[in-house]
Amino acid sequence: MSIAIKNIPVLNEDAAISFDSNAKAAIAKKSSIKFTKQLAVAAKILEKAKI
């Protein structure tokens, strides 16, 4: 006795175009995080601890 394999949902036409454009917009909007302040604080702590 086996279990039937379910179909994989697929986006069609307008939904696929909308999904793709939203994904591209999200990728373009992403930004990087700068940790320079946190690194400076960590360096001071390690310097004080003489590590």
Side-chain angles (χ1 to χ4, degrees):
M1 193 165 165
S2 62
I3 299 172
I5 298 172
K6 294 183 181 180
N7 291 336
I8 298 172
V10 178
L11 296 175
N12 294 321
E13 297 177 21
D14 293 337
I17 293 169
S18 174
F19 179 84
D20 190 45
S21 63
N22 288 342
K24 286 180 182 177
I27 289 170
K29 198 188 299 186
K30 78 174 186 177
S31 63
S32 62
I33 300 171
K34 296 181 182 177
F35 292 105
T36 52
K37 292 179 185 176
Q38 290 86 350
L39 287 173
V41 170
K44 286 181 183 178
I45 291 170
L46 293 173
E47 189 177 309
K48 246 185 200 179
K50 297 181 182 180
I51 294 178

